[in-house]
């Protein structure tokens, strides 16, 4: 025993780890990092690291000076709690690496289960270790914790190998940056841990934390740190989201949303610099308004100021000052820079960060004029109309993402159209409604939203599918020519539009000529060649095109004549004007004649009463659509307007 001289353990490595972990925690708390899906692992890993390091340092202190600090039970508890925390740290690293893969995210439960199993094995190891050799050995002037250290370093090695293996075996689903990091870090960690196991008994130095604290720092740097904008020093959109997350539902703070309007200064580099410097200056000026005013840059031309106060007079003062800053920047610049400033409170309707931004962007969209600045304070009704719009667009996106061709939220109506020649209903137009819970939304409201959010094509596919189904069900029993479906000009300008539409129709055993498509003339303006190509393809397949809403756009008769339209649908506004105004009546008479002479079929829309009906008949329209004849109703019921085929 005499030669068993006890050398105190050096824990400088653990202190270094602790310092890094504390700095990391400080930075994380201050910078409001990107709270991604996996952020929680980095954050809780850092917290566990700090506690376990404090504990480990205390263990080493007791081991170095047992005569002063040692208490058997407390010491045992320290060791066990440390081992558990170390396990938690490993769990955080392991999960972080794995959850970075899409496949593993889907298997979260399995992963947790697997980890619990490993923990069980680990704890069994602790028990065996305790029973066999003991985690520590008392000696005269110190406690040997070599076994204990070797034990958890060994667990670290197992975890490192598991991480390496999990990444290797799942290579395709792990991003390159993660796999590179794993390939670089794991071998280094393994070397450090092996050295740790070897040298702990010889030199009594402990530095295991250097294998895990840097891993969390790296994760933070790679994926979660992006708190400030380098040009303006304003905070980033991630910081804004973090802030909103914290305040929403707790405080009704105020928001100022600013969109800068640069027009025609993009090519002038010198002025661009000038604008940028002034912009940075403006940010400093806004920041100095008060400590309650924060500034976030959420895109090149968009800023959000938060006024963290519920005091209305302070709010009003601050927004006036912000406006003053913007106006003075504007006056000092030699180039025309305008802004739209929209401001209001984060009310309870805006219950998540994304909604707050979307709300202000929704209002900003009203300002199309780029040549002057605008200032607007939101009204209570804006929140309601936004929520409506938001619900509709989220429903539409959900419909698009699910793309269930039988989606029940898309309700198809049909309006029968009267044929003058036969004196009966021969065709019908499919008209869509959106079912939002109990409410039925009119197409005038949701079609523009669908066009803007890129969901219109999904709607068309669903409507077309439902119409085809109805046609298939009734065509053997009822006599009719066709049902027409409205297509948005945005879609017909997409190169593959005809293929997708055709694929849907082809699923049904129906006569292709029973489907017709309605398009407005704006289709011809977006992308003439593509639209024309799509139309020609479908026309060759036997599908007729209607020119919808004729007379509402800037009609180019020549262009219209050159496109494969078969039927011209005169908009109701033309009809109503012609009834009032003799000159319009002359134009109308002339146009009907020209179209008919050139082989087009003429149809008039919006015929609501007897006089309009009389007018339409006298002017020789071949088809008449309007409430006076029949109103739109659920498409399943449209058959009752058609004649039955024979007896059945
Ligand atoms: P539209 O294509 O011009 O459709 C005719 C609209 O006029 C329908 O309104 C119809 O209900 C209405 N209408 C029918 N008869 C009369 C009448 O006598 N008087 C008046 N004042 N109106 C009459 P609805 O169903 O509200 O549709 C409005 C618009 O929404 C449609 O105008 C069409 O542009 C669009 N839309 C409807 N369904 C779809 C669709 O599935 N896809 C696309 N892209 N647009 C659609
Ligand atoms: Ca139409
Ligand atoms: Ca129309």
């Amino acid at each position: 025993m005499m030669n068993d001289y006890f050398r105190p353990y050096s824990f400088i490595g653990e202190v270094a780890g602790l310092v890094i972990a504390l700095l990391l925690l400080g930075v994380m708390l201050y910078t409001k990092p990107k709270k991604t899906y996996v952020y929680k692992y980095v954050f809780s890993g850092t917290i566990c690291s700090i506690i376990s390091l404090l504990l480990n340092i205390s263990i080493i202190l007791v081991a170095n000076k047992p005569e002063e600090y040692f208490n058997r039970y407390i010491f045992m508890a320290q060791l066990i709690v440390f081992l558990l925390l170390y396990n938690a740290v490993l769990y955080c690293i392991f999960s972080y690496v794995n959850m970075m893969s899409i496949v593993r995210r889907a298997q979260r439960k399995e992963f947790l289960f697997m980890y619990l199993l490993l923990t069980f094995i680990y704890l069994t190891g602790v028990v065996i270790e305790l029973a066999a050799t003991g985690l520590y050995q008392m000696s005269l002037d110190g406690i040997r914790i070599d076994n204990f250290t070797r034990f958890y370093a060994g667990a670290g090695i197992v975890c490192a190998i598991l991480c390496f293996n999990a990444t290797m075996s799942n290579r395709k689903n792990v991003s390159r940056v993660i796999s590179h990091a794993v390939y670089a870090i794991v071998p280094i960690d393994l070397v450090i841990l092996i050295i740790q196991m070897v040298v702990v008994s010889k030199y009594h130095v402990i530095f295991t934390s250097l294998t895990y604290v840097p891993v969390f720092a790296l994760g933070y740097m790679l994926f979660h740190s992006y708190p400030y904008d380098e040009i303006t020093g304003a905070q980033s959109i991630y910081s804004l989201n973090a802030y909103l997350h914290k305040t929403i539902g707790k405080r009704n703070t105020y928001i100022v949303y600013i969109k800068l309007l640069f027009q025609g200064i993009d090519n002038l580099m010198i002025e661009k610099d000038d604008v940028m410097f002034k912009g940075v200056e403006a940010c400093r000026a806004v920041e100095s308004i008060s400590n309650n005013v924060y500034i976030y840059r959420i895109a090149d031309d968009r800023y959000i100021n938060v006024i963290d106060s519920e005091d209305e007079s302070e709010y009003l003062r601050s927004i006036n000052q912000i406006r003053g800053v913007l106006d003075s920047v504007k006056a000092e610049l030699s180039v025309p820079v305008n802004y739209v400033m929209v401001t209001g409170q984060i009310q309870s309707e805006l219950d998540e960060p994304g909604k707050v931004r979307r709300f202000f962007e929704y209002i900003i969209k009203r300002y199309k004029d780029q040549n002057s600045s605008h200032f607007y304070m939101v009204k209570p009704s804006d929140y309601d109309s936004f929520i409506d719009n938001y619900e509709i667009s989220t429903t539409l996106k959900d419909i698009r993402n699910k793309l269930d061709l039988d989606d029940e939220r898309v309700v198809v109506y049909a309006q029968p159209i009267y044929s003058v020649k036969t004196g009966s209903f021969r065709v019908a137009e499919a008209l869509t409604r959106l079912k939002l819970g109990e409410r039925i939304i009119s197409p005038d409201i949701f079609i523009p939203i669908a066009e803007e959010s890129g969901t219109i094509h999904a709607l068309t596919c669903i409507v077309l599918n439902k119409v085809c189904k109805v046609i298939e069900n009734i065509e053997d029993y009822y006599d009719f020519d066709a049902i027409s479906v409205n297509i948005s000009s945005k879609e017909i300008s997409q190169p593959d539009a005809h293929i997708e539409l055709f694929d849907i129709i082809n699923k049904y055993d129906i006569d292709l000529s029973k489907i017709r498509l309605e398009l407005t003339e704006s289709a011809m303006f977006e992308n003439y060649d593509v639209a024309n190509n799509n139309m020609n393809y479908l026309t060759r397949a036997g599908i007729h095109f209607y020119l919808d809403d004729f007379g509402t756009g800037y009609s180019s008769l020549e262009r219209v004549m050159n496109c494969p339209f078969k039927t011209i649908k005169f908009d109701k506004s033309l009809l109503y004007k012609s009834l009032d105004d003799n000159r319009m009546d002359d134009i109308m008479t002339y146009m009907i004649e020209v179209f008919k002479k050139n082989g087009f079929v003429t149809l008039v829309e919006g015929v609501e009463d007897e006089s309009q009906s009389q007018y339409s008949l006298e002017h020789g329209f071949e088809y008449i659509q309007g409430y006076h004849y029949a109103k739109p109703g659920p498409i399943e019921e449209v058959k009752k307007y058609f004649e039955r085929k024979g007896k059945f």
Side-chain angles (χ1 to χ4, degrees), residues 33-67:
K34 239 193 290 181
K35 297 242 161 70
T36 61
Y37 185 83
V38 287
Y39 174 71
K40 57 179 182 287
Y41 296 113
V42 169
F43 186 75
S44 35
T46 307
I47 299 278
C48 289
S49 301
I50 290 172
I51 306 174
S52 72
L53 277 166
L54 286 170
L55 208 56
N56 203 20
I57 290 171
S58 75
I59 290 170
I60 297 169
L61 287 174
V62 175
N64 286 347
K65 280 204 171 110
E67 68 280 10

Side-chain angles (χ1 to χ4, degrees), residues 583-602:
R583 280 173 313 171
M584 267 314 288
D585 178 38
D586 288 344
I587 297 175
M588 184 92 149
T589 312
Y590 168 75
M591 285 192 302
I592 297 168
E593 196 188 304
V594 171
F595 278 126
K596 281 180 140 179
K597 209 152 113 196
N598 283 281
F600 292 93
V601 178
T602 53

Side-chain angles (χ1 to χ4, degrees), residues 47-230:
I47 299 278
C48 289
S49 301
I50 290 172
I51 306 174
S52 72
L53 277 166
L54 286 170
L55 208 56
N56 203 20
I57 290 171
S58 75
I59 290 170
I60 297 169
L61 287 174
V62 175
N64 286 347
K65 280 204 171 110
E67 68 280 10
E68 271 179 55
Y69 308 117
F70 183 69
N71 169 307
R72 203 177 143 196
Y73 298 106
I74 295 181
F75 192 62
M76 206 54 215
Q78 278 171 295
L79 296 186
I80 302 282
V81 174
F82 172 81
L83 289 175
L84 288 175
L85 276 169
Y86 185 76
N87 184 44
V89 166
L90 295 183
Y91 171 70
C92 289
I93 295 181
F94 187 68
S95 305
Y96 187 75
V97 172
N98 280 300
M99 291 305 155
M100 281 293 199
S101 132
I102 352 155
V103 175
R104 297 282 151 84
R105 273 181 206 188
Q107 307 164 337
R108 265 173 96 174
K109 282 219 184 76
E110 289 88 329
F111 254 79
L112 188 63
F113 176 73
M114 179 176 151
Y115 207 85
L116 287 177
L117 193 74
L118 284 173
T119 306
F120 178 74
I121 296 170
Y122 173 80
L123 291 179
T124 317
V126 176
V127 173
I128 294 172
E129 182 82 10
L130 271 176
T133 48
L135 279 174
Y136 62 92
Q137 290 119 22
M138 300 292 295
S139 72
L140 279 182
D141 39 11
I143 305 171
R144 290 190 177 278
I145 49 171
D146 307 350
N147 276 350
F148 164 72
T149 307
R150 269 197 297 268
F151 184 78
Y152 67 77
I157 288 177
V158 173
C159 178
I161 293 172
L162 282 175
C163 278
F164 196 81
N165 187 46
T167 309
M168 287 275 279
S169 65
N170 192 24
R171 241 201 201 114
K172 281 205 204 89
N173 300 304
V174 176
S175 66
R176 191 162 41 185
V177 57
I178 283 285
S179 59
H180 284 181
V182 167
Y183 298 155
I185 302 276
V186 169
I188 297 177
D189 273 4
L190 284 176
V191 170
I192 299 179
L193 287 166
I194 291 168
I195 294 178
Q196 171 76 87
M197 288 177 83
V198 174
V199 305
V200 66
S201 37
K202 201 154 182 225
Y203 302 105
H204 279 200
V205 287
I206 295 175
F207 45 75
T208 335
S209 64
L210 298 180
T211 60
Y212 54 88
V213 174
V215 173
F216 295 122
L218 194 71
Y220 167 76
M221 285 193 287
L222 287 179
F223 297 104
H224 314 286
S225 69
Y226 177 26
Y228 288 89
D229 171 52
E230 58 168 346

Side-chain angles (χ1 to χ4, degrees), residues 520-538:
T520 62
E521 49 197 294
S522 61
M524 304 287 92
F525 300 130
E526 293 226 349
N527 192 341
Y528 181 80
D529 290 332
V530 176
N532 207 29
N533 185 38
N534 277 323
M535 288 176 70
N536 282 326
Y537 181 93
L538 292 162

